[in-house]
Amino acid sequence: MTLNLYLLRHGETTFSQSGNFCGETDAELTKEGILMAESFANVYQKLKWEAVYVSPMKRTIATAKPFCDATGMDMQLRDGLKEGSYGEWEAKSKSFAQENYAQNYVKWLTEPAWNAPKGGETAVDIANRSMPVIAEIQEKHPEGNVLVVSHKATIRILLCSLLGIDLGRYRYRVNILVASVSMVKFDVHGPLLEILGDRHHIPDHLRSRPGT
């Protein structure tokens, strides 16, 4: 038996529609985001689950709730799964950051592993707090299916960390759309990516919505 780690990004928010920076901003799901969460629960409740680990933010808790209600699983909240902080860029547009923090913005684009938005977190910072949650899961659940509900940057950084991809390239090597599911299998050879960014559990009219 192996551990199958499912990584679910939260459903749609107004920020995923606008593209503005949303890290520690505690955004709510839109009504479509709630439908995305319900669609995930309807499909994935059929599997046998060992545990659910969730970022303690409104958008992730709301995404996990329909699944937990359907399966009877308890959410295990972990701060390490929160989205990366964008510091002074929070809730601002990319054009605002580019115009008002030009040098900072270019450094972040070029090497986000070690360069953070002013007052925010680097990719290394995010990896250092999120990877211990994965280690905890591996220790407590050496086999079976475990769900992690987290955020775009955090999931991309987790995947890069597990797969040996340079953290500085996380924005350019892996894309994680809203309500998408990725799955990493842990066996004797280490972590193996089996599913990346799947959204077939979402109805077509939701899957075709614009957004990041």
Side-chain angles (χ1 to χ4, degrees):
M1 292 290 291
T2 58
L3 167 62
N4 298 318
L5 184 69
Y6 288 80
L7 301 164
L8 171 65
R9 184 185 171 192
H10 62 78
E12 181 189 276
T13 68
T14 57
F15 287 91
S16 63
Q17 285 282 287
S18 69
N20 285 14
F21 293 105
C22 181
E24 59 192 344
T25 302
D26 209 4
E28 305 268 7
L29 295 184
T30 62
K31 62 180 182 180
E32 290 82 8
I34 293 170
L35 291 174
M36 291 175 179
E38 291 172 349
S39 296
F40 172 83
N42 290 338
V43 173
Y44 279 88
Q45 66 176 302
K46 300 167 187 174
L47 295 179
K48 184 179 184 300
W49 294 92
E50 301 299 321
V52 184
Y53 290 78
V54 182
S55 160
M57 305 193 80
K58 291 177 181 177
R59 57 193 182 273
T60 36
I61 289 173
T63 299
K65 187 177 186 305
F67 174 83
C68 290
D69 289 345
T71 60
M73 304 291 293
D74 293 327
M75 289 186 210
Q76 301 192 53
L77 303 180
R78 295 292 185 274
D79 284 345
L81 297 175
K82 287 182 177 180
E83 182 61 301
S85 170
Y86 290 101
E88 295 182 13
W89 303 1
E90 281 288 337
K92 303 296 195 300
S93 67
K94 292 179 176 63
S95 60
F96 177 90
Q98 187 174 14
E99 292 167 10
N100 293 276
Y101 299 86
Q103 187 174 7
N104 183 198
Y105 186 72
V106 169
K107 286 183 176 180
W108 176 74
L109 286 178
T110 304
E111 184 49 88
W114 299 101
N115 292 288
K118 187 174 181 181
E121 290 181 289
T122 67
V124 170
D125 292 331
I126 297 167
N128 285 343
R129 62 168 167 76
S130 60
M131 282 300 290
V133 181
I134 305 304
E136 176 190 355
I137 291 170
Q138 289 181 271
E139 180 179 356
K140 291 182 176 178
H141 312 282
E143 59 184 38
N145 300 313
V146 174
L147 177 64
V148 168
V149 186
S150 189
H151 308 264
K152 184 177 185 179
T154 303
I155 291 174
R156 291 197 286 183
I157 289 165
L158 283 171
L159 288 172
C160 287
S161 298
L162 290 169
L163 302 174
I165 299 171
D166 180 359
L167 289 182
R169 305 275 71 79
Y170 83 89
R171 300 181 66 250
Y172 309 111
R173 296 292 180 266
V174 181
N175 195 20
I176 299 295
L177 299 177
V178 288
S180 66
V181 180
S182 301
M183 193 270 273
V184 176
K185 175 183 286 187
F186 293 83
D187 61 19
V188 293
H189 302 292
L192 174 67
L193 180 64
E194 293 222 325
I195 301 170
L196 176 63
D198 181 66
R199 303 209 303 167
H200 284 94
H201 53 280
I202 303 174
D204 289 343
H205 73 282
L206 295 175
R207 201 159 61 233
S208 62
R209 287 177 63 79
T212 59

